Amino acid sequence: MDGREATSGPDYLTPVIFHTLLSLFEAPRHGYAISQEVAERTDGRITMGPGTLYGTLQRLSDRGWVERTDAIEGEGAHAERRRYYRITPKGAAVLRAETRRLQEAVHLAEKRAVLEGS
Amino acid sequence: MRRLPSEAVYALLLRALPGTFRRAYGAEMSTWFREHRRRIADEGGALSWLRFWSVILADLVRTMFREHASALAERLHHLPRQGHALMNGFLHDTRVAIRAVTRRPGFFSMAVITLALGVGFATTVYTAVHSVLLAPLPYENPGRIFRVGKLVDGRAGVLSVSALDFQDLQERNRSFEALAASRPGSMVLTGTGEAELLHVAKVSAEFFDVLGRRPGVGRAWGPEDDLSGGSSVVVLGHSIWERRWGGDPDLVGRTITLSAERFTVIGIMPEGFVPPEALYQRSTEAWMPLAFLDEEARRQRSNQFLQLIGRSRSGVSQEVATEELRRLGAQISREHPGPGDRVFGLSPLHDETVGAIGDVMMPVLGGVLLLLIIACVNVANLLLIRGNERRKEMSVRAALGAGRWRLLRQLLTEGLVIGLLGGMLGAALSAVGVWAFQTFAPPEIPRLAEISTGAGVLLTSLSIAVGTSLVFGAIPALAAARGDLGTVLGHGSAGTGGSLSEGRLRDGLIGLETALAVVLVAGAGLLANSLLRLNAVELGFDPTGVKVVSVDHSDGSRDEITAFYRTVLERIASIPSVQYVGATDNLPLSGNRQMRRIRSPGLALSSEEEDLGGYPVHYQHVKARYFEAMGMRISSGRAIRSTEGAGAPAVVVVNRILADQMSPGGDAVGMQLTFSDDPEGTRPHRIVGVVENVRQQRLDAPGEPEIYLSFEQSPRSRMEIVAKASTDHAGILAAMREQIRAVRPDLPVRRAVDMTDFTAQSVGDRRFFALLLGSFAVLALTLAVVGIYGTFTFAVVQRRRELGVRLALGATGLSLVRTVFVRTMAILSIGVGIGTAISLFATRILETLLYGVTANDPLTLALTGATVLVVGVVASLGPAKRATELDPIASLGQS
C-alpha cells in the first residue's frame, strides 16, 4: 500500500506468491497456465482470478523475481504471440530461502511431535 | 437466450482499473478471461456460470481497490520530490482521506455501496431508454425514412396497401427518393443440417436504397427482378450465414432450398444489420424479390398486403410528403373506385418502431431517477453525520492554525474518493445491468439488440456520483470552516447535535427520502395490484394441462393438409393421459388478428359498415375437440362436428358477444350469416353453437365478436394443435412433437408451449416492468431504513448529554423514548404526507399500464403510506432503545 513493499516486503512469502514462484520454477508459463497449475496443485485451495494473478506478477516483476518474455505459440496462421513469465535467479534464490525456512519450521514442529495423535 | 456478450462486459469492467495497470495487463486479463470462459462452457451448467462470474467480479473488485491504492501510493511516493506545492497539498489530502476512509470502513463502504447502487441502476435504465427510445435507427439518414400506407379514419396507424396501389404511388410520387414494398413471411430451410423455420421478407429492390444498407458480400437485386416474376435469388442475413455455413464466402452464387424452392444466394447483409422491426420480425434472416408473391393477389386492388417504407428526398418535409400522398390517394381512388377510400399517409419509421414502449419505459426511468435521488440523499446524510462527528477535530485544527481552505479541501477530497469509487462501481454494475436487461427483458421491447452503454452515459453517472459527494461533503466542511470556533469548542464539546440549521437539513433530507420512497412504493404497488387483478381475470378457457404444438404444412394440397392433420391428431390422441385433442389457427393471446365482415338478418349495420361490406368480426378455424381441449364452455347449441366436411352445409360457432348482438336476449343458434368476401358468393353459414367469451386478443381487453369456422370446410396449412392432458408433465409436449415427426419429419415445429406459460407470457412485459419498479421500491425502502437508522442513531448519540441530564433529573426511560419518537414520527409523517401528495400526480404516468385500478387508488396509496411509516418506525426503534439505555453518569461525564 505504501510502496515500501516493492523493495523489501514482509520476511515470508504469501501463499499466492510462493505458489506462483513454485509454478514458474518448473518452467516458464503464460498467465492462465500459472493460475491453472496453482489451482490444480493446491486442490483448488488457492484460486487466482485474473486481477489477483497479474497484480501478483506485477509485484514480482517490480521486485525483480520474475521477468516477462514473448513466445510464439501455435503454427502457421494460428500462431499467436503470447506473453510468458519466467523466474529470475533472484526469484529462485528467494524461493529456495523460503523453502528452507518452511523446512526448518516443519522440522521444529516435528521435533515437538505436533502432528502425533491428531 | 441472447449470445452472452461477456467479453465486452469484461472489457468494460476492466476500465475500473488504473490506466497503467490496465495498459500493462488488460489484454492478458482478457485472454485469461476468454480461456477460462471456454473451459466453463465445456463444463456447462448454470451453477458453473454463476461461480465463474462471482469469482470474476470478486477478483475485479479486489484488484480495483488494491491497484488503485497501489497506484496512488506510488504517486504519493514520487510526486512530493518534484516539488509541486499544490499537488503536494492535494496528495496529502488524498492520503489523509484514504486513511480516514480506511479507519471507518463501515461508513465508507455504506456510502460507496449506496452510491454505486443508485448510479448503477440509473445508468442501466437510462442506457436502455436511450438506446430504445432516443438513439437514431441504425440506417443512413434515418430521419428521412418513413412508413407509408393507408390511414384508417385519418388516425395514426399506417396500414398495408395493394400491389397495384404501390406501383401507382411509386410511379407518381415526387417526395420520395425511393419507395419500397415488403411482405413478411416464413419459409423452411432444408438441405444443410436440420430443417429450420426462417422469417423471411419479400421486398422490392428499392428496400436496400430506402435503408441505405446493402449486402456486405455479394449484391442486392435490381428492379427488373421484382414484379416480373424473374429470377429466384435471395439475400441472407449475417447471423444465419455464420450459423449454417460458417461464414463461407463461396456461398454467394450457390443455391439453397427454401420451402422446396431453389434460390441462388446473391448477397449477405453486413454484420450488425438490423431489419426494420416496424415492418416485420427482427429475426428476419432472408430477403427475396416481391416476384414470389401470389400472382393472383397482385392483380386485386382490394388485396392490401404490402407494407411500404420510403426515403424522402432531402429537403422534402414530412408535411409536403403527407400532402402529396393525400393528393395521390384521392387521384387513385377516383380512377379505381373500390371498397373504402384510399387515404394515404406516412409516419416516421422511428415512431413506428418504438411504438408505445415509451409509455412503459418512461415511468421506469422516472422510478430509477427517484431511486438515484434517494441514494444521493442517503450519501449526503452519511457525509453530514460524518462531517459532524469530525467537527470538533476540525475546529481544533482550525484553532491550531490550519487554513480554512485546507480543512475544506480535506473534507472535499474525502467526498471525491467516495464519489469516484461509488461512480466506478456503479458503472461496472450498470455494465452487468445492461447485459441482464438484454437477456431477461421480454422480446416485445423493440430494438433490444441495439442497447449498448456509451462512454457519455458512463461519464454522466460518474459525474453524478462525484457531484453528490462533493456538494454534501462540502456542507459540514463549510460549517466547520466558517470557524465559529467558540460555539464549536464550547458547546460543541457538550454535544448539541450539530448546528441547528444542519440538524434541520438532516431532518429535511430524511423527510425527502421518505417522500420519494412513498412515490416509488406507490407506483410499484399500483403495478402489483394490476398484475394481481390480471391474474384473476376470467380467461374463458382453462390453460391447466393444455399443451400446444404448431406446425405449418404450407407445401401441401387441400387433401394432403386435411389428411396430415387427421393423422397427427389421431396419433396425439393416443398419447397416454391426453384427454382431448383439437386444433385452431389462432391461439388465444397469440396476438394474431384475422378480421372478416359479415352480414346477417339480425345484425343492424351502420352506414360506414354498409359501405365497407358488413359487420367486422374476428375469426378462426377450429378442428376436432378444440373447445373441450381448451376448456371453453358451449352455452347453447353444439360444437362443429368433424363429419361436417366440404360437402356438408356451412356451419359456424359464434361467441357470446356476437350472439347477443345478433339476437339480443334470444338464442342465436339456428340463425344464418354470410361473409362479404366469401369466394363462393353469399353462401349462408348456419350458427350451430354459442361459446362463452374468451380473452382472445389480450388478457387486459374484454372480448370482441368472434366466429369459429370449421377446419374441415376450409382447411388451413398452419394450425396450432391443442391437447388437454390429465397429468401435467413436459413429456407430453415431447411426445406430441414425436408424433408430428413420425408423420412428416421435415416439417419444423413452430411453437411448442404449455398454455399456462403462454398465458403468463402475454403479460410478460407488464410483469417485467412491475418487477423492475418493484425492485426499485424495495431498494428505496432499504436505503430509507439505512438513512433513518443512521440519522436517528446519530441524533441520540449527539443528544446524550441532554438526555442524560433529563434522566438524572428523574425522567423515565419511557419519556425519553417518547421524546426521540415524537420527533421521528413528525418527520416521517410529513414525509409520507408529501410523498402521498406527489403520488397523486406522479402515478398518472402509469395509467396506461394499470388494469382494474385507477392511478389514485385510495387503498394502494393508504397501504403504501402505512408501509413506509411502519418501516420508518421500525428503523428508528433501535436508536430509541439506545436512548433508554443511557447511563446518566456516563453520558454526563463524557464529552
Side-chain angles (χ1 to χ4, degrees):
Chain A
M1 168 107 188
D2 58 6
R4 269 174 308 166
E5 205 182 272
T7 48
S8 62
D11 56 0
Y12 64 92
L13 300 183
T14 64
V16 167
I17 291 179
F18 180 77
H19 283 284
T20 305
L21 287 176
L22 194 58
S23 127
L24 293 179
F25 189 76
E26 284 174 5
R29 292 177 207 275
H30 59 77
Y32 189 65
I34 298 174
S35 54
Q36 286 311 105
E37 222 263 329
V38 170
E40 269 165 40
R41 207 205 328 257
T42 60
D43 290 327
R45 270 177 297 116
I46 297 180
T47 53
M48 289 190 268
T52 313
L53 171 72
Y54 290 105
T56 306
L57 287 172
Q58 156 113 60
R59 264 162 270 285
L60 294 183
S61 303
D62 287 346
R63 294 180 203 175
W65 294 356
V66 303
E67 59 190 11
R68 306 204 280 205
T69 58
D70 279 348
I72 306 291
E73 200 171 73
E75 285 171 13
H78 299 287
E80 178 176 28
R81 180 175 291 272
R82 265 198 106 143
R83 196 167 275 165
Y84 271 66
Y85 293 85
R86 130 176 108 207
I87 196 164
T88 61
K90 188 176 170 194
V94 169
L95 182 64
R96 261 184 223 107
E98 176 70 1
T99 311
R100 220 167 280 131
R101 190 185 68 76
L102 288 171
Q103 206 171 28
E104 277 164 21
V106 171
H107 194 62
L108 270 174
E110 272 174 349
K111 259 198 210 160
R112 286 166 182 70
V114 171
L115 288 180
E116 274 165 38
S118 65
Chain B
M1 198 186 273
R2 201 169 303 282
R3 189 177 66 88
L4 184 74
S6 55
E7 279 172 45
V9 170
Y10 190 67
L12 204 67
L13 290 174
L14 283 182
R15 301 204 155 261
L17 300 179
T20 45
F21 188 77
R22 201 175 62 237
R23 276 188 291 280
Y25 295 103
E28 283 181 79
M29 287 175 76
S30 292
T31 312
W32 193 101
F33 178 83
R34 196 163 46 240
E35 286 187 27
H36 204 58
R37 201 183 71 117
R38 220 174 283 147
R39 238 177 89 123
I40 300 295
D42 289 343
E43 279 176 33
L47 206 66
S48 309
W49 283 113
L50 204 65
R51 210 177 303 129
F52 171 69
W53 272 105
S54 54
V55 166
I56 288 291
L57 288 181
D59 174 71
L60 213 66
V61 171
R62 251 197 320 263
T63 310
M64 190 177 90
F65 277 102
R66 199 185 47 228
E67 297 305 329
H68 274 290
S70 148
L72 205 61
E74 184 77 4
R75 250 176 271 160
L76 295 181
H77 197 66
H78 292 302
L79 275 178
R81 265 174 260 154
Q82 296 171 357
H84 298 301
L86 189 69
M87 204 58 195
N88 244 340
F90 172 71
L91 290 170
H92 173 80
D93 290 339
T94 315
R95 211 172 344 185
V96 172
I98 290 179
R99 215 185 291 142
V101 149
T102 44
R103 256 204 317 258
R104 296 290 306 270
F107 155 79
F108 168 70
S109 38
M110 181 72 82
V112 168
I113 289 170
T114 305
L115 211 51
L117 283 175
V119 168
F121 276 89
T123 311
T124 303
V125 174
Y126 180 72
T127 301
V129 168
H130 182 266
S131 308
V132 173
L133 289 181
L134 308 176
L137 293 172
Y139 308 119
E140 206 178 291
N141 282 327
R144 277 164 51 197
I145 308 179
F146 295 92
R147 177 147 184 213
V148 176
K150 233 180 92 167
L151 300 186
V152 183
D153 306 335
R155 271 173 298 158
V158 183
L159 298 184
S160 306
V161 305
S162 69
L164 292 176
D165 284 351
F166 164 58
Q167 278 174 322
D168 286 342
L169 281 177
Q170 209 180 22
E171 279 161 21
R172 298 181 194 184
N173 91 80
R174 313 207 142 269
S175 305
F176 295 96
E177 207 170 277
L179 189 64
S182 84
R183 162 96 172 143
S186 53
M187 293 179 117
V188 183
L189 172 70
T190 48
T192 47
E194 202 183 324
E196 186 181 348
L197 188 78
L198 294 189
H199 291 294
V200 305
K202 293 160 182 178
V203 297
S204 64
E206 300 82 8
F207 173 79
F208 302 97
D209 299 328
V210 170
L211 298 181
R213 293 277 178 273
R214 307 193 69 83
V217 180
R219 58 173 183 98
W221 62 87
E224 67 282 359
D225 290 319
D226 263 351
L227 288 160
S228 58
S231 40
S232 304
V233 294
V234 64
V235 168
L236 293 176
H238 196 274
S239 65
I240 188 169
W241 179 48
E242 297 248 286
R243 195 169 70 240
R244 298 289 297 231
W245 291 279
D248 178 7
D250 292 338
L251 182 66
V252 174
R254 293 219 298 261
T255 57
I256 60 171
T257 309
L258 288 171
S259 293
E261 276 183 81
R262 311 283 292 165
F263 286 85
T264 306
V265 179
I266 58 167
I268 314 284
M269 288 312 280
E271 191 173 8
F273 170 72
V274 186
E277 287 174 39
L279 301 185
Y280 43 72
Q281 300 269 6
R282 63 174 145 234
S283 52
T284 297
E285 292 187 300
W287 294 266
M288 53 199 63
L290 273 183
F292 294 96
L293 290 172
D294 182 19
E295 183 75 18
E296 201 50 34
R298 281 197 269 129
R299 303 237 166 271
Q300 294 174 354
R301 281 204 193 253
S302 61
N303 207 336
Q304 300 164 348
F305 61 97
L306 288 182
Q307 297 167 323
L308 310 189
I309 45 171
R311 169 179 291 277
S312 64
R313 285 183 199 284
S314 90
V316 173
S317 69
Q318 188 173 340
E319 288 71 33
V320 170
T322 306
E323 192 40 51
E324 192 195 18
L325 285 171
R326 199 174 293 280
R327 199 166 43 74
L328 290 177
Q331 215 178 69
I332 296 170
S333 293
R334 266 198 310 279
E335 293 166 21
H336 309 277
D341 271 343
R342 291 189 207 65
V343 182
F344 295 125
L346 49 71
S347 158
L349 187 66
H350 184 272
D351 299 0
E352 292 285 309
T353 307
V354 169
I357 198 71
D359 292 351
V360 188
M361 291 188 91
M362 288 326 260
V364 174
L365 182 64
V368 86
L369 287 181
L370 288 185
L371 184 67
L372 179 63
I373 299 176
I374 292 176
C376 290
V377 166
N378 233 5
V379 172
N381 240 328
L382 284 169
L383 284 171
L384 282 178
I385 293 173
R386 172 102 183 100
N388 224 303
E389 277 176 5
R390 301 177 57 192
R391 214 178 154 80
K392 211 175 131 191
E393 172 202 334
M394 291 288 157
S395 306
V396 171
R397 286 179 54 185
L400 292 177
R404 284 173 192 183
W405 167 230
R406 180 91 198 206
L407 292 180
L408 181 62
R409 232 173 36 192
Q410 194 193 315
L411 283 171
L412 285 181
T413 320
E414 236 178 270
L416 189 70
V417 169
I418 289 172
L420 274 176
L421 279 174
M424 283 191 303
L425 208 61
L429 197 67
S430 77
V432 179
V434 166
W435 170 78
F437 190 91
Q438 278 190 315
T439 308
F440 298 113
E444 289 81 22
I445 298 178
R447 307 182 69 188
L448 263 184
E450 294 172 53
I451 297 177
S452 66
T453 314
V457 175
L458 287 182
L459 263 177
T460 312
S461 50
L462 201 61
S463 337
I464 291 174
V466 172
T468 309
S469 38
L470 277 186
V471 168
F472 287 96
I475 293 174
L478 280 172
R482 221 185 293 129
D484 203 350
L485 287 185
T487 331
V488 177
L489 285 178
H491 304 279
S493 63
T496 53
S499 74
L500 194 62
S501 60
E502 228 184 281
R504 280 206 193 118
L505 182 61
R506 271 202 315 275
D507 291 350
L509 287 176
I510 286 295
L512 177 64
E513 198 168 26
T514 314
L516 296 180
V518 166
V519 178
L520 260 179
V521 174
L526 286 171
L527 286 182
N529 198 332
S530 302
L531 270 182
L532 284 179
R533 280 163 201 264
L534 272 177
N535 283 339
V537 151
E538 184 62 54
L539 294 170
F541 61 88
D542 178 12
T544 12
V546 175
K547 312 286 175 186
V548 183
V549 170
S550 71
V551 277
D552 192 346
H553 191 298
S554 53
D555 55 348
S557 68
R558 186 186 169 113
D559 288 345
E560 280 167 357
I561 291 171
T562 315
F564 167 74
Y565 281 110
R566 191 188 314 118
T567 317
V568 168
L569 259 63
E570 275 166 14
R571 279 169 160 268
I572 288 175
S574 68
I575 296 173
S577 86
V578 166
Q579 295 171 308
Y580 303 106
V581 184
T584 175
D585 62 343
N586 195 3
L587 202 62
L589 305 175
S590 62
N592 289 338
R593 274 166 185 268
Q594 311 185 95
M595 206 198 77
R596 290 174 89 175
R597 291 183 181 270
I598 59 163
R599 288 174 186 274
S600 168
L603 221 47
L605 299 181
S606 70
S607 63
E608 192 193 347
E609 286 164 355
E610 197 71 57
D611 276 356
L612 292 168
Y615 184 74
V617 294
H618 295 283
Y619 71 97
Q620 44 253 296
H621 295 80
V622 296
K623 177 175 169 56
R625 312 190 71 173
Y626 172 68
F627 294 126
E628 283 113 317
M630 268 298 195
M632 289 159 66
R633 209 164 61 78
I634 293 183
S635 53
S636 168
R638 61 173 176 85
I640 298 165
R641 297 193 180 113
S642 293
T643 50
E644 286 166 318
V651 290
V652 294
V653 167
V654 299
N655 73 343
R656 169 61 52 203
I657 294 177
L658 186 55
D660 287 346
Q661 274 165 1
M662 292 180 73
S663 139
D667 192 357
V669 173
M671 295 177 80
Q672 299 203 325
L673 54 86
T674 56
F675 288 96
S676 60
D677 61 347
D678 196 333
E680 293 174 34
T682 49
R683 178 179 49 151
H685 287 67
R686 194 165 56 87
I687 299 174
V688 294
V690 176
V691 69
E692 284 308 312
N693 297 331
V694 169
R695 296 270 157 150
Q696 179 71 31
Q697 304 295 345
R698 279 161 46 186
L699 205 55
D700 57 355
E704 288 172 69
E706 302 274 352
I707 288 188
Y708 299 86
L709 291 143
S710 158
F711 169 85
E712 266 71 27
Q713 293 180 339
S714 46
R716 300 275 139 168
S717 63
R718 179 184 171 173
M719 295 294 282
E720 317 247 7
I721 300 167
V722 178
K724 167 89 171 179
S726 55
T727 54
D728 196 8
H729 65 85
I732 296 169
L733 263 181
M736 288 169 77
R737 295 181 75 134
E738 194 45 56
Q739 293 305 330
I740 294 170
R741 210 173 302 136
V743 182
R744 278 289 300 270
D746 57 328
L747 286 188
V749 167
R750 286 165 174 266
R751 195 192 327 257
V753 287
D754 187 306
M755 198 61 201
T756 315
D757 297 343
F758 190 69
T759 309
Q761 259 171 35
S762 72
V763 284
D765 52 346
R766 210 187 279 256
R767 185 193 315 265
F768 176 71
F769 286 110
L771 213 66
L772 219 55
L773 218 53
S775 60
F776 297 164
V778 169
L779 202 56
L781 270 183
T782 314
L783 290 181
V785 165
V786 170
I788 291 167
Y789 179 85
T791 308
F792 290 130
T793 304
F794 172 71
V796 169
V797 172
Q798 291 290 302
R799 291 173 69 193
R800 62 177 176 250
R801 191 181 156 103
E802 173 205 334
L803 297 173
V805 171
R806 291 212 207 167
L807 271 179
L809 292 177
T812 60
L814 199 66
S815 69
L816 285 192
V817 171
R818 209 180 297 135
T819 313
V820 176
F821 222 70
V822 164
R823 190 176 140 117
T824 313
M825 283 305 283
I827 297 169
L828 288 179
S829 307
I830 293 172
V832 168
I834 293 174
T836 309
I838 299 175
S839 300
L840 284 175
F841 297 95
T843 49
R844 284 196 193 147
I845 63 167
L846 290 175
E847 234 149 26
T848 53
L849 292 177
L850 299 183
Y851 177 83
V853 286
T854 62
N856 291 340
D857 184 48
L859 182 68
T860 309
L861 288 182
L863 269 176
T864 300
T867 308
V868 176
L869 208 58
V870 167
V871 167
V873 168
V874 170
S876 57
L877 279 182
K881 190 159 161 279
R882 227 164 147 158
T884 63
E885 289 164 358
L886 281 177
D887 177 353
I889 310 297
S891 44
L892 287 175
Q894 232 171 34
S895 60

